[in-house]
Amino acid sequence: MELAYIPSPSRGVLYLGPIPLRGYAFSILVGLFVALWIVDRRWVARGGKKGTAWDIAVWAVPFGLLGGRLYHVITDYELYFGEGRNWVNAFKIWEGGLGIWGAVALGALGAWIGCRRRGIALPPYADAVAPGLAIAQAFGRWGNWFNQELYGRETDLPWALHITSSADGRVPGYYHPTFLYESLWCVGVALLVFWADRRFKMGHGRAFALYVAAYCAGRFWIEYMRVDEAHHILGLRLNNWTALIVFIAAVIYMVLSARLRPGREETVEPDASDGGTQDAEEGAEAEGRVALDKDAPETASEETSTSGQDAVADEAPVMSGDKQQKPRS
């Protein structure tokens, strides 16, 4: 008897008139906007200018989407270039298929370009991005629910995911909702980074490294549960190896960075601090000019009064002298 389960949507696309609204794309877009809102607030709190995060995102987001798609196509090339496959489908990003590893890698390149154009160092910006990126992934994983993909092994747990589609080799049944596991894990990662960054004042890219390490730890066991086709190396899925290697690299970076560059950056966006100092100096100069203008009339009247007194004093002895002199005969 079926007591409880997570139902799958009957379809992954809704039509607003002639415009298709795909659940996968909608999940990613919502995640991006929420993440950028978080990043902007964190950047301003660190001393940056409001709006800078959105300007850099103009570079980071397209690069990230391109990198995510490239990683997926390269690691699952047989889905697009195998026998009976249409290579044009490799460009249909709205149908699903983004690899987080490629998205972060090329997204970081795009962010570096955006930071460089504004004279900003990448590490402090990456620290601001870290929890927002985890939240974006938490939203994005629901795109797999809309597409009925990337689920785990069969289970009879009350929160099992009910797969109803039989397309592309799917077998209808009840499976572990790995999309939900990863979504909740990403929320936990974001909360961890928020707490650790506030508690330890993490800087120089260490908050981002913490996000990477924590995400990889969860991705390793979640990936191990999945049953979709994947390349295996020494008995482990390719993404398991990627998560393990990236986890080790992130931990090493955190340790070395803490030793070589402890503390947090005092200035993250030079223009912001210089602009504030310049405004303060201009304000002080303006106040000084107002004060001088107020004192000027009083000073002028005092000088006029003094000059008048001096003139009277100069004439007084002459007049008294004339009165004392006797007329000559």
Side-chain angles (χ1 to χ4, degrees):
M1 180 178 179
E2 297 178 357
L3 296 178
Y5 60 86
I6 300 174
S8 291
S10 58
R11 54 181 178 174
V13 56
L14 298 175
Y15 287 90
L16 302 177
I19 303 175
L21 179 62
R22 301 182 182 277
Y24 186 87
F26 179 75
S27 300
I28 292 176
L29 289 176
V30 171
L32 284 175
F33 278 104
V34 174
L36 287 172
W37 178 78
I38 294 173
V39 174
D40 186 62
R41 290 176 62 88
R42 282 175 56 82
W43 185 249
V44 172
R46 288 286 301 273
K49 296 173 62 176
K50 189 172 182 59
T52 295
W54 295 86
D55 293 340
I56 296 176
V58 172
W59 291 91
V61 172
F63 273 74
L65 292 175
L66 176 61
R69 189 61 175 177
L70 282 175
Y71 182 89
H72 167 72
V73 172
I74 291 173
T75 55
D76 292 306
Y77 60 88
E78 65 278 358
L79 298 178
Y80 307 100
F81 303 102
E83 184 177 355
R85 301 288 184 173
N86 186 358
W87 62 271
V88 176
N89 293 334
F91 298 95
K92 297 180 180 180
I93 191 173
W94 56 87
E95 293 183 354
L98 289 175
I100 185 61
W101 315 111
V104 172
L106 274 192
L109 175 60
W112 176 78
I113 295 173
C115 287
R116 189 173 177 83
R117 289 171 60 87
R118 297 184 67 93
I120 297 171
L122 180 61
Y125 183 77
D127 286 337
V129 166
L133 186 55
I135 293 296
Q137 291 176 251
F139 279 98
R141 272 305 172 194
W142 284 85
N144 301 136
W145 176 69
F146 282 104
N147 286 353
Q148 296 195 41
E149 61 184 2
L150 305 184
Y151 43 84
R153 296 187 293 269
E154 286 189 285
T155 181
D156 57 357
L157 292 171
W159 56 82
L161 174 65
H162 188 198
I163 296 297
T164 58
S165 174
S166 58
D168 296 328
R170 297 184 183 89
V171 178
Y174 299 89
Y175 301 89
H176 278 285
T178 51
F179 84 92
L180 179 60
Y181 298 161
E182 186 167 340
S183 180
L184 294 175
W185 183 269
C186 287
V187 172
V189 170
L191 294 176
L192 172 64
V193 175
F194 277 128
W195 171 81
D197 195 25
R198 178 174 297 181
R199 174 67 177 80
F200 301 106
K201 304 296 182 183
M202 306 181 79
H204 301 286
R206 289 189 290 276
F208 185 81
L210 175 62
Y211 145 74
V212 172
Y215 171 75
C216 288
R219 179 61 183 267
F220 186 89
W221 68 267
I222 294 171
E223 185 75 23
Y224 193 74
M225 296 178 64
R226 282 168 41 173
V227 295
D228 54 296
E229 293 184 3
H231 296 286
H232 287 73
I233 302 175
L234 299 178
L236 287 178
R237 294 165 64 96
L238 175 61
N239 283 333
N240 280 113
W241 284 107
T242 304
L244 181 60
I245 294 171
V246 175
F247 172 83
I248 295 173
V251 172
I252 292 175
Y253 178 86
M254 280 194 293
V255 173
L256 293 179
S257 176
R259 291 181 179 179
L260 298 176
R261 306 190 69 182
R264 175 185 282 183
E265 300 91 343
E266 295 182 359
T267 302
V268 296
E269 190 169 0
D271 291 344
S273 59
D274 293 346
T277 302
Q278 184 177 357
D279 292 342
E281 292 177 352
E282 292 178 354
E285 292 178 1
E287 291 178 359
R289 287 194 296 269
V290 171
L292 288 175
D293 292 340
K294 289 181 178 179
D295 293 341
E298 297 180 1
T299 304
S301 61
E302 291 177 358
E303 291 178 353
T304 304
S305 176
T306 303
S307 300
Q309 293 176 0
D310 291 344
V312 172
D314 291 341
E315 292 177 357
V318 175
M319 294 176 61
S320 61
D322 291 342
K323 289 182 180 179
Q324 291 178 359
Q325 289 181 352
K326 295 180 180 181
R328 293 180 182 179
S329 56

